[in-house]
């Protein structure tokens, strides 16, 4: 049986490529040393970037960005800090109509967000149909979706309270979201103490 020669892709790689210093045998980068010593740094082996003389570049995620935060109007006092509770647009108007007091409410095509005091999630189990955003920081489910969303598609303020407090009372909001979700309210008095 005749052995078939499999060409080494490094033969097709242009000179001066950064992986020229990569040793396929030990998975180490050999860094050029100006002082005559061997400076070897252990690294994970990398896939070869050239295939048949063509360079392949894999897309990478954009640099880490902190999630966008809902910003309440500056003239409103948020001395307790603030979080946000999100519900589906289908329940949005119903929640607005049933609450005794409504603070700042933001909305986009996917969620309506009520501003509540920080820590309104401690000791309670919000229904699975709601989203709770600590610090009112809204993270997109993936970086690709974030790239496709324009700044104008982010939640906008749709309700501003009459007073100087941006908060929707979290207890009535909690019970109402549980009722709309068909779930039983659940809380722990000792949590967070």
């Amino acid at each position: 049986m005749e052995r078939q020669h499999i060409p080494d892709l490094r033969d097709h790689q242009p000179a001066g490529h950064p992986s020229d210093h990569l040793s396929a045998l030990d998975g180490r980068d050999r860094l050029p040393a100006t002082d005559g010593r061997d400076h070897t740094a252990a690294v994970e082996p990398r896939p070869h970037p050239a295939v048949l003389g063509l360079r392949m570049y894999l897309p990478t995620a954009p640099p880490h960005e902190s999630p966008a935060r809902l910003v309440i109007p500056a003239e409103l006092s948020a001395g307790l800090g603030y979080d946000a509770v999100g519900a589906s647009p289908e329940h949005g108007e119903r929640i607005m109509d049933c609450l005794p007091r409504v603070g700042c409410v933001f909305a986009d095509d996917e969620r309506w967000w009520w501003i509540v005091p920080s820590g309104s999630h401690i000791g309670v189990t919000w229904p699975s149909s709601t989203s709770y955003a600590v610090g009112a920081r809204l993270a997109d489910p993936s970086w690709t979706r974030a790239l496709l969303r324009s700044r104008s598609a982010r939640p906008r303020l749709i309700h501003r309270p009459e007073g100087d407090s941006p908060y929707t009372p979290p207890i009535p909001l909690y019970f109402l979201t549980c009722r709309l979700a068909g779930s039983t309210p659940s809380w722990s008095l000792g949590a967070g103490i």
Side-chain angles (χ1 to χ4, degrees):
M1 178 181 257
E2 186 177 310
R3 289 183 68 172
Q4 190 175 24
H5 173 70
I6 300 174
D8 187 350
L9 293 177
R10 286 178 289 189
D11 296 338
H12 301 287
Q13 178 176 312
H17 187 268
S19 66
D20 286 345
H21 299 289
L22 180 66
S23 167
L25 298 176
D26 63 7
R28 295 175 175 268
D29 275 338
R30 305 238 184 256
L31 304 175
T34 56
D35 59 0
R37 292 183 294 162
D38 181 22
H39 296 273
T40 305
V43 295
E44 291 293 318
R46 293 174 280 174
H48 205 279
V51 174
L52 301 176
L54 300 174
R55 292 188 188 269
M56 293 186 343
Y57 295 98
L58 296 176
T60 58
H64 176 69
E65 296 177 11
S66 60
R69 186 176 197 203
L70 297 175
V71 179
I72 60 173
E75 61 275 8
L76 297 179
S77 173
L80 300 174
Y82 63 96
D83 294 344
V85 176
S88 67
E90 295 80 32
H91 292 151
E93 285 193 38
R94 202 161 165 199
I95 292 172
M96 291 270 286
D97 292 341
C98 292
L99 288 173
R101 183 189 184 286
V102 178
C104 289
V105 180
F106 293 81
D108 60 17
D109 292 339
E110 299 174 13
R111 289 301 229 201
W112 283 34
W113 295 95
W114 282 264
I115 298 299
V116 294
S118 289
S120 295
H121 64 301
I122 297 172
V124 298
T125 305
W126 286 86
S128 60
S129 61
T130 62
S131 301
Y132 192 93
V134 174
R137 296 192 184 280
L138 310 182
D140 281 310
S142 73
W143 64 267
T144 52
R145 184 167 166 208
L147 287 176
L148 298 175
R149 265 181 108 168
S150 68
R151 285 197 175 272
S152 62
R154 291 191 177 167
R156 65 197 183 288
L157 185 65
I158 62 166
H159 182 269
R160 182 190 169 108
E162 293 177 10
D164 65 347
S165 173
Y167 305 120
T168 294
I171 295 174
L173 178 61
Y174 174 68
F175 281 104
L176 186 54
T177 57
C178 286
R179 182 175 176 199
L180 291 171
S183 64
T184 304
S186 171
W187 63 89
S188 169
L189 296 176
I193 295 176

